[in-house]
Amino acid sequence: MWLLKYSRRLVLLHLLTLQLLWLDSAAAKKDKPEISSYKLDNAPSSFFYFDDSNVILLHDREASFVHRSEDAGKTWAKVDIQDGHPMDIWRHPHDNKKAYIMGRGSTHWHTNDQGETWKDFEIPNARPSLFRPPFAFHAKDSDKVLIHGEICKIGGLIDCKETTFYTTNGFKDVGKLRENTRGCVFAHATSEFQTGDEDKDDDRIVCVTTGRISFNPREHRLAVSDNYFDDEHEPLLERDRTVQGIINIAVVKKYLVAAARAPNTDELAMYVTDDASIWHRAIFPSDSRLKEDAYTLLESTPYSIQVDVMTVDPPNPMGVLFTSNSNGTYFTKNIPYTNRNMHGIVDFEKVQGIQGVVLVNVVDNYKEVEGSFGREEKRLRSQISFDDGRTFKDLTAGGKTLHLHSVTEMNNIGRVFSSPAPGVVMGVGNTGKYLKDYEESDLYVSDDAGLTWTRALEEAHKYEFGDQGSILVAIYDEGPTDVLQYSLNHGQDWHEVDLPEDKIRAKTLTTTPDSTSMKFFLWGTQGGGSKTKHWVFSIDFEDMREDKCTEKDFERWTARVGEDGKASCVMGRKQFYKRRKADADCFIREKDFEEIEPDFETCKCTEEDFECDYNFVLSKDGKECVRDGPLPDPQGACKGGAKKYKASSGYRKIPGNVCEGGVHLEEEKERDCEDTLKPPVSGEINVERTAFPAKSFRSYFYLERAESSSESSKGGKDETVVMRTDRSDVYLSRDHGKTWDQILKGKEIKDIYPHPHFNDVCYFVGTDKTVDYTINRGDTFSSFEAPLEPTRDGNLPALGFHADYKDWLIWTGAAGCDKEGECHNNALYSTDRGGKWENLRRFVRKCEFIKEEGRGDKEKLVYCEQYKDEKLGGPLELQSSDNWFAKATVHFNNVVDFATMSEFIIVATRDQSDGDSLKVDASVDGQTFADALFPSNVNVPIQKAYTVLDSHTHAVFLHVTIGNQKDAEYGSIVKSNSNGTSYVLTLDRVNRNTPGYVDFEKMLGLEGVALVNVVANIDEAERGSGKKLKTMITHNDGAEWSLLRAPQKDSEGRAYECNTGHVPDCSLHLHGYTERRDPRDVFSSPSAVGLMMAVGNVGEYLTSKSEKTSDTFITRDGGVEWHAVKKGNYMWEYGDQGSIIVIVRDTVSTDEIFYSLDEGRTWTAYQFSNKKVHVAILSTVPSDNSRNFLLWGREDDSDSEIVTFNLDFTQIEERQRQCYLNEDDLNDPDSDYYVWEPSHPYQDNNCLFGHVAQYHRKYPDRNCYNGRSIQHLHKIAKNCECTRADFECDYNFEPAKDGSCKLVSGLEPPDHSRICKDDPDRISYFEPTGYRRVPLSTCEGGNELEQYESKEVPCRGHEKDFAEKHRGLSGFWLFVLGVLLPVGLASAVGYWVWRHWDGKFGRIRLGEQGSAFDKDRPWIRYPVMAVSGVVAVLAAVPFLVGSLWRGMTGLFGASGRRYTTRGSFARGRGDYAVVDEDELLGEDEDEEV
């Protein structure tokens, strides 16, 4: 009985227990998600999840707090960082435990436990970089981090040096990696990238760095190190050449990509490596080019890079999608007319986790958009690909075409369409012909990776995926709402749940990055303006369903299907996922946030599994792989008379492809041994003669392809020349004058305007208002009608160009010319290449774009000289505007003229207090001007002239005209400090001519070398007896000058009549710029380092330039030693960077040229014609890197034809092999280059400017060609101890007879105490010693004359501090602070800009015309002070701006306008500006070539 009762009690107890358990379960299973809210004080500036967790970090920049939540946003706590001022937060991309808080100074914080605890770390004396992300991470070892910072001096205004730091132990220690970086990455920045060497994977770092002695972006380079830059090397990117102009690097999947640019083009070159050792240039189809700021590296695959290249410029940009082969070298076109926005973002997204599925948006009305310049609205269509972009098709929903808003319109964070949820994708869009506005769209969903779609919800919604696709969440996105919607069956059905607060405007809806969580995070706002409230919500689905999915709730889903609905193959395999069924009543509930991994099945090989092998490319129709050049001979298989050999079929299986069986395209095939041979060479110079029906050439220009261009990478075959004859016919050659085609037939062309900043662009102005132009070097032409006839001012160009936007133009046209005395200039502008014109300013002299680096965001900045009150003959006002003169600023009321030099704008005005004095002002920001005050006792009359000469050594040379009596003009050259604010005398009695041009020329490519001619008989010359000139040279940028030592013997081996050992009476003298008929005949070339050629004579003075008295000379060591070349006057050109030199007789008819292949040591005659030809011009491409030359002239027996002769040296036997350069091993016996160190002739060592510079030079006797431009500067071998040569005389000091610097009598030394006023915290300063360091010098220690015996003095008010500390700045920084800073902020910014950017060149001559002046006036001897700019690294020579827009020199003596270096001549750059009230340029409408 007891047993029975006990058993019943057990049964009842068991039933009760089951009932309670059932009740608990029913209570736990909720019918909606739990939502909690939290109010923030301010809008979050950034936030993120730690991957595989519910921990969120949120940054409130306004309140300077970081918040942390451990439960997906339900509760929050402030992160405790003592005295911290967080500027930003960063998550480690490869370690879900680590994150970083960047402070505003040098202190920052890191966490190793998802923000639970924080530790600070210091970046010594540095702040985060303003130019790039602060961190670069290592994919394998999360303790290794690179930090990009800036070390700034003097308050951060003058010198901010970008520096990269590193840690290898998780910020326990931080060390300096390298200075002067422009971004660094670990090679192993992604898990896919492998170098093939485990040690290199661990520590290889690649950086973009500045040039060896220059901060010019054109000289930025790559540096690679495997030991944290204890040592480094520069990788070979282009065959066996390093490449300059690197602008960026990035790691994409298994590829490291670098982009490079060259000057005067917007085209880029892309270099790719998959091991950080061997690089290849990426080759795009010939009709596609990479443009600066116009290509986007897209999310790529482990076996290819995908790039979108912009083909239509903003404001309505479009692009073309390309996919590379497996090593990233060859790209093929996928789909054209892709949609992109102004920021380079492309409507492109891969469906996450599914191989081969890509969604893009394309522009349907691309034809209308292409020529509309933003006026035509784009009509977009959505396309999807299931085979990695090979083919595309429409999206469909219910049988209708569907279009979706994509990446260019980001309305949430993270991916737009997909997540790791297998196959489930969502998007906002509409059905119909085109994509409509976002507010007219609905929410669509697909659970088969985009194959089919259904409308999920009406109206646009933000959306997110959770629990691997089991949960879809959406919130209304067209306005405020208090409802959240969700679906638990792949979007088939939706449910609503109320938010706990009043209506909010949703800003962000997100969850964990892998979408495995059942919790979501929402941020929204209430109200607006100052009353805006910020709410964050935690949305938790954990308690909605009890069941965890079991095996029966899953399906084996085919990730990708073909047209037949069956599983398709990508990279040799099919992809399947195990995923939850849509109708399963369960959650996956992966507690450890585990992601679903796919299953694969191997496929049989098809043609799609192969790509072109090395030395093969796709045919034009894309159907087969064809060979690209000769094939290699495998191990001598073709020796001994063999005719056949086994070699590559042209195909190889894509690396990583796992297909098996099927087709075998990679099997070797039998090939002819002839395929391994290069085409036979003639061994001789080839000549092509072309005759033109005309009497003279009027102008010609080279449109040279930059080395970053795609065609340059294929051997540089394109060498375009455009030419105009006296009959106004225009001809174009694409092969350097071998063949010519007449273009623009039937049109009378008055002027040719090559774009000075974009080599591919050229304008042709007709005699009417029609302007034709090309943007692709003559491939196609378009035209526009100018708003007015071109200006009638022969000294001004009709067209002005913007440095950055090639479609922005200024037209200066003549108006009112039908009335006598009413003819004036009006300026108009266009931003669409002449499609539409708007008025800029009336009654102007000229208007110019002033868009230079350092102008901030004022890209529309324009300066105009306008007649006051629009009255001709009145004073000129200098006005500026950055909004097309909707609002103007008047800077000066009585302007002589203005010009730009580097980042400076230099303005010459009449001094208001003294109408006979000249006033100079300068600006670096285009808004604020600083006075250039002359010494108080120097009064410069307006009729005197100043010529600003060019310099690339961080100092400006200014020629001050002293005597201007006709035919007896001369002056003094003064030199500036490093920012152009203070000038000192460097040489007097320097020759100039009546138009104001100076015998001054810098040597190109070599720092600090310049030549001048000085007047030796000033008194006699002013009495009318004629000048006697001597040539002098400096090797240290003007600190010291000397006569040129003459060669011992002439070109025929005879001794000269005078004693060459007595230099004062017997030296070499050269005809300079003032006598130059063709201003392109500069002495040197930047690509032929150390070489100069000139015409002159040996004797006491320079004689007349005649065949009897003049000879031709050459130097190979930068002007130290000269050699006679030929008797008589010759023109010369350098080719192949100096490995070929061609000379031809000047002023005398000839039928032969001479050429040298050994830097002028030996010369070979070559007859180019069977008739005598009067050669007017010998030319080649501006870079001097071609093996083709062009002679321009007229045959003696013809007066109705002019001729050109192309001389092609590519076939000569001595130039068939490309020279080999081993940058890493200078002693490599196979290298064709040696290291050359320039030297000063009066120094025992090779120290110039305080360092020993080493340059690459080809061995003269090596029979090879240079090819791609060499980075001639190898390195700075060392810094030297300071000597007298590193210093020049300070302001108000002048050289004494013993070489020391003495204070000018009656003048005061510079007041260095001003440093204390400019820097109140300064404790002391140094008194001047009379010396200042040459700006380019890097010397260290030794005889530092700027500090030598200098007294240190306390600043007023800091006497006690001085007594305690008793130390101050070095003399160099004393000078910088005491002399430079009085110019104000403008100068500081200017120097900083120089460190980070480059600018264009310019020269300006201020004032002219007047009576002779007493040579003993103060300005003859005393330094003057002015303001100019820091000139960029590339040098130029004097240039008359008027020549920019007309012809060259007259073929038979007619006067022509002048040009600068061959680069700027060929491009028509106005680099030497002459400023003159009286317009001394004169008429030249009939000038000829």
Side-chain angles (χ1 to χ4, degrees), residues 626-637:
V626 296
R627 63 189 178 91
D628 182 27
L631 300 177
D633 178 3
Q635 298 179 351

Side-chain angles (χ1 to χ4, degrees), residues 75-142:
T75 60
W76 295 86
K78 291 181 179 178
V79 170
D80 182 20
I81 51 173
Q82 188 173 3
D83 299 326
H85 297 282
M87 186 174 69
D88 209 349
I89 57 175
W90 288 80
R91 178 175 63 90
H92 198 297
H94 307 294
D95 190 328
N96 66 350
K97 301 293 185 183
K98 294 182 178 180
Y100 310 92
I101 298 175
M102 294 301 295
R104 298 185 184 277
S106 60
T107 302
H108 315 282
W109 298 265
H110 69 101
T111 179
N112 295 320
D113 53 14
Q114 297 184 338
E116 188 171 346
T117 61
W118 295 85
K119 295 182 179 180
D120 63 355
F121 65 92
E122 294 279 335
I123 303 178
N125 303 315
R127 68 187 186 193
S129 172
L130 300 177
F131 299 96
R132 57 205 86 259
F135 297 111
F137 300 98
H138 196 285
K140 182 179 178 181
D141 187 344
S142 62

Side-chain angles (χ1 to χ4, degrees), residues 910-917 919:
R910 280 189 169 90
D911 193 319
Q912 297 298 315
S913 61
D914 182 356
D916 290 332
S917 294
K919 184 174 180 290

Side-chain angles (χ1 to χ4, degrees), residues 635-914:
Q635 298 179 351
C638 288
K639 291 183 178 180
K643 296 182 178 181
K644 300 285 185 179
Y645 74 104
K646 285 279 189 178
S648 170
S649 66
Y651 295 88
R652 67 170 183 170
K653 187 187 290 187
I654 299 172
N657 193 297
V658 296
C659 71
E660 297 177 353
V663 301
H664 298 283
L665 297 181
E666 80 279 19
E667 290 183 349
E668 288 188 341
K669 61 183 294 187
E670 194 172 72
R671 294 192 174 274
D672 294 331
C673 283
E674 292 180 356
D675 294 344
T676 67
L677 304 176
K678 293 183 179 180
V681 297
S682 66
E684 297 181 353
I685 301 169
N686 291 329
V687 179
E688 295 288 346
R689 172 189 176 275
T690 306
F692 303 90
K695 292 185 177 181
S696 64
F697 301 103
R698 284 296 180 88
S699 60
Y700 73 81
F701 300 92
Y702 283 91
L703 309 183
E704 186 178 8
R705 279 292 229 173
E707 289 197 330
S708 60
S709 71
S710 54
E711 292 187 25
S712 265
S713 67
K714 300 174 182 178
K717 298 177 182 178
D718 185 305
E719 295 179 355
T720 300
V721 192
V722 62
M723 173 268 292
R724 181 175 71 95
T725 72
D726 63 339
R727 297 174 51 174
S728 296
D729 295 330
V730 178
Y731 296 84
L732 182 141
S733 173
R734 303 304 291 269
D735 53 13
H736 209 138
K738 293 187 177 81
T739 59
W740 293 89
D741 295 312
Q742 186 177 353
I743 59 176
L744 306 175
K745 291 182 179 180
K747 297 186 177 183
E748 188 175 350
I749 302 302
K750 179 182 178 182
D751 279 309
I752 300 177
Y753 288 75
H755 199 300
H757 308 291
F758 296 93
N759 287 10
D760 295 342
V761 183
C762 190
Y763 291 82
F764 304 84
V765 177
T767 53
D768 55 8
K769 294 193 293 185
T770 301
V771 178
D772 295 275
Y773 65 88
T774 177
I775 61 172
N776 46 30
R777 297 165 12 271
D779 285 349
T780 59
F781 289 88
S782 302
S783 66
F784 63 80
E785 183 174 342
L788 296 170
E789 67 169 286
T791 175
R792 296 187 181 184
D793 187 337
N795 299 314
L796 294 176
L799 273 172
F801 303 94
H802 196 283
D804 295 333
Y805 298 102
K806 66 182 178 185
D807 297 330
W808 290 18
L809 304 172
I810 291 177
W811 179 266
T812 304
C817 298
D818 54 341
K819 298 180 182 179
E820 186 176 354
E822 296 289 329
C823 193
H824 63 274
N825 289 335
N826 289 349
L828 302 95
Y829 75 94
S830 173
T831 59
D832 57 5
R833 209 181 305 141
K836 182 181 179 182
W837 292 94
E838 300 285 350
N839 285 321
L840 195 64
R841 225 56 177 157
R842 300 172 69 245
F843 287 87
V844 302
R845 182 177 176 272
K846 67 176 181 178
C847 291
E848 292 182 11
F849 286 113
I850 311 293
K851 179 63 180 72
E852 292 290 333
E853 301 290 359
R855 301 284 184 259
D857 59 353
K858 299 186 183 301
E859 57 192 16
K860 299 177 183 177
L861 185 61
V862 176
Y863 267 60
C864 287
E865 292 176 0
Q866 184 184 40
Y867 289 100
K868 188 174 183 179
D869 300 326
E870 297 187 356
K871 293 181 180 180
L872 287 175
L876 281 170
E877 292 182 334
L878 182 62
Q879 305 176 0
S880 73
S881 175
D882 59 7
N883 57 9
W884 307 122
F885 282 92
K887 181 180 179 181
T889 301
V890 177
H891 297 281
F892 300 97
N893 294 313
N894 202 346
V895 175
V896 176
D897 211 333
F898 76 94
T900 58
M901 173 181 285
S902 189
E903 68 270 19
F904 279 80
I905 302 169
I906 306 172
V907 182
T909 63
R910 280 189 169 90
D911 193 319
Q912 297 298 315
S913 61
D914 182 356

Side-chain angles (χ1 to χ4, degrees), residues 1474-1486:
V1474 172
V1475 179
D1476 198 327
E1477 290 185 282
D1478 300 318
E1479 300 301 346
L1480 298 179
L1481 300 180
E1483 286 294 320
D1484 55 1
E1485 292 298 322
D1486 297 323

